[in-house]
Amino acid sequence: QVQLVESGGDSVQAGGSLRLTCVDSGGPYRSYCMGWFRQTPGKEPEGVASIASDGTSNYADSAKGRFTISRENAKATLYLQMNNLKPEDTAMYYCAANWPGPCIVPVMMSQGKPGVSGQGTLVVVSP
């Protein structure tokens, strides 16, 4: 059973950077897709980025040019480097894994929220 544990969330000022980390207890060298989505209270979850085991990535428009998703398969770890953060990036960020279908953000979010996700890590960006 896959268990995902996120970390790295913090409070930063606009323009700052953070790197989120997700450790996959399922073990190294997993071939499934992984990704990040976020959610704020009262709003629908929003996909951020996804990545296949070969490193092919896909981004939501809101993340393009500012966020970079990566993974270290040998360490069963997923990352999200976030630069030039904006107040609207404030949210709980969740790691997701192993959804059926293509490894792209719209498919990751096709059921509203991925079936396999962690407990989240909070990112707060102040003006």
Side-chain angles (χ1 to χ4, degrees):
Q1 185 176 356
V2 176
Q3 286 188 311
L4 307 171
V5 179
E6 303 93 337
S7 62
D10 204 346
S11 296
V12 297
Q13 289 191 321
S17 298
L18 284 174
R19 187 174 83 156
L20 306 184
T21 299
C22 170
V23 177
D24 177 5
S25 69
Y29 301 112
R30 296 289 171 166
S31 61
Y32 42 63
C33 297
M34 298 189 76
W36 292 93
F37 68 99
R38 63 190 184 186
Q39 190 169 19
T40 54
K43 292 187 177 182
E44 293 296 314
E46 176 190 10
V48 175
S50 64
I51 187 167
S53 59
D54 67 358
T56 302
S57 58
N58 182 253
Y59 295 91
D61 287 344
S62 60
K64 288 179 182 177
R66 300 188 300 127
F67 295 0
T68 303
I69 189 171
S70 60
R71 62 193 288 175
E72 287 191 77
N73 292 330
K75 295 183 178 180
T77 302
L78 178 73
Y79 304 99
L80 184 68
Q81 177 67 43
M82 305 188 295
N83 298 327
N84 190 22
L85 282 160
K86 304 176 181 180
E88 51 264 43
D89 294 318
T90 295
M92 188 72 82
Y93 283 72
Y94 299 88
C95 175
N98 200 23
W99 59 88
C103 196
I104 57 174
V105 172
V107 175
M108 179 176 69
M109 306 304 295
S110 63
Q111 302 300 315
K113 190 173 182 179
V116 178
S117 63
Q119 294 301 306
T121 186
L122 181 63
V123 173
V124 177
V125 185
S126 58

